C-alpha cells in the first residue's frame, strides 16, 4: 500500500460526485441513483441551512424539526394551496420538493432520488431527480455542525462500489472516500475565512491523505 499527503486548491466545478456516466450531467433522470443516508442520531439536526429548487418557493418546515428563531423560514406563498390541476408538472414537482425535502433527504420518498453532490468547506450541495416526471431540485446543507451523510455510488466497470462519508462542520467539511483500491481522507478548508461559507470554488483548498493499493 502506498500513502501520500498533499494539499491543493479547488478549481472549475470542485469536488463533484455524480450518478451519471456523462461528465457534467448533474441531474440525470436515467442514471442509476446514488444511495444516501444519515448517520443514526442525525435525523433532527442543524440550525443553519439553505434550500433552492430552481424556484423562489419557500422551504416548508417539517413538523418534527425544531424551530430556530435565528433562521426563520421565508413567508408562505399561495402556490402551496393552489389546485394542483392549475399548476404545470414542473411547478408540482417544485411544490412537492419544497414541502417534503426533509423526508426526501432521509430517503423516505423513493420517487425522489439522489443524482449527485458537490462538496465545499462547510457546505454540501445535493442534487435530486424525480425520474417519473423529470423533476429536478437541489439542496444546500450549510454549516451543519457535525452532520454526517453517507453516499454509495453504483458499481463501477471494474466492480468496485465507491462510497463517501461526508461530515459537515462550521467552516470545514471532511470526506472519507473509498474507491475499493484506494482510500482518501479529504479536508475542505476556506482559504480566506473572512469571506464565509459559499459556493466560491476560488476560496476552497483541500488537504488529502491518500492510500493506494489496498
Amino acid at each position: 500500500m502506498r500513502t501520500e499527503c498533499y494539499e491543493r486548491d479547488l478549481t472549475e466545478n470542485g469536488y463533484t460526485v455524480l450518478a451519471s456516466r456523462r461528465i457534467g450531467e448533474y441531474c440525470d433522470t436515467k442514471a442509476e441513483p446514488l444511495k444516501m443516508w444519515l448517520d443514526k442520531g442525525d435525523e433532527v439536526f442543524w440550525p443553519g441551512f439553505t434550500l433552492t429548487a430552481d424556484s423562489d418557493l419557500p422551504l416548508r418546515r417539517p413538523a418534527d424539526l425544531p424551530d430556530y428563531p435565528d433562521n426563520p423560514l421565508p413567508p408562505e406563498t399561495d402556490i402551496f394551496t393552489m389546485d394542483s390541476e392549475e399548476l404545470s408538472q414542473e411547478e408540482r414537482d417544485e411544490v412537492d420538493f419544497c414541502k417534503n425535502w426533509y423526508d426526501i433527504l432521509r430517503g423516505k420518498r423513493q420517487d425522489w432520488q439522489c443524482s449527485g453532490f458537490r462538496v465545499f468547506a462547510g457546505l454540501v450541495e445535493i442534487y435530486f431527480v424525480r425520474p417519473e416526471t423529470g423533476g429536478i431540485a437541489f439542496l444546500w446543507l450549510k454549516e451543519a455542525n457535525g452532520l454526517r451523510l453517507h453516499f454509495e455510488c453504483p458499481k463501477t466497470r471494474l466492480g468496485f462500489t465507491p462510497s463517501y462519508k461526508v461530515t459537515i462542520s462550521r467552516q470545514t467539511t471532511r470526506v472519507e472516500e473509498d474507491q475499493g483500491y484506494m482510500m482518501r481522507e479529504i479536508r475542505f478548508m476556506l482559504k480566506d475565512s473572512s469571506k464565509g461559507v459559499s459556493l466560491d470554488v476560488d476560496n476552497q483548498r483541500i488537504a488529502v491523505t491518500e492510500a493506494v493499493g489496498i
Side-chain angles (χ1 to χ4, degrees), residues 126-141:
I126 308 176
Y127 306 96
F128 295 92
V129 295
R130 200 180 192 187
E132 182 181 347
T133 62
I136 63 173
F138 50 98
L139 177 71
W140 300 346
L141 305 181

Side-chain angles (χ1 to χ4, degrees), residues 21-161:
R21 297 190 185 277
R22 297 192 295 270
I23 295 174
E25 188 70 47
Y26 288 81
C27 296
D28 187 345
T29 58
K30 299 185 184 303
E32 184 181 346
L34 305 184
K35 296 178 182 177
M36 181 184 67
W37 65 94
L38 301 176
D39 250 19
K40 188 175 182 181
D42 280 351
E43 293 203 347
V44 177
F45 45 85
W46 77 104
F49 57 85
T50 309
L51 174 129
T52 179
D54 263 356
S55 75
D56 295 325
L57 299 185
L59 171 64
R60 276 287 185 87
R61 182 177 296 283
D64 55 348
L65 187 64
D67 191 14
Y68 291 93
D70 292 338
N71 294 274
L73 293 175
E76 297 288 1
T77 67
D78 292 338
I79 197 168
F80 287 116
T81 57
M82 288 175 63
D83 185 342
S84 62
E85 296 299 322
E86 299 178 15
L87 304 176
S88 67
Q89 183 59 59
E90 182 179 355
E91 289 172 328
R92 290 199 293 272
D93 285 331
E94 291 173 1
V95 168
D96 183 70
F97 187 83
C98 289
K99 278 184 176 180
N100 300 291
W101 66 274
Y102 192 48
D103 285 339
I104 293 168
L105 182 64
R106 293 187 293 175
K108 296 182 180 294
R109 285 284 304 275
Q110 295 302 306
D111 53 327
W112 282 98
Q113 301 176 348
C114 179
S115 64
F117 63 95
R118 281 205 301 168
V119 181
F120 304 85
L123 172 68
V124 174
E125 184 177 34
I126 308 176
Y127 306 96
F128 295 92
V129 295
R130 200 180 192 187
E132 182 181 347
T133 62
I136 63 173
F138 50 98
L139 177 71
W140 300 346
L141 305 181
K142 181 179 179 182
E143 297 181 294
N145 197 26
L147 176 66
R148 291 157 296 183
L149 292 162
H150 297 260
F151 297 91
E152 188 175 283
C153 294
K155 187 175 292 187
T156 68
R157 293 172 181 173
L158 296 177
F160 300 116
T161 302

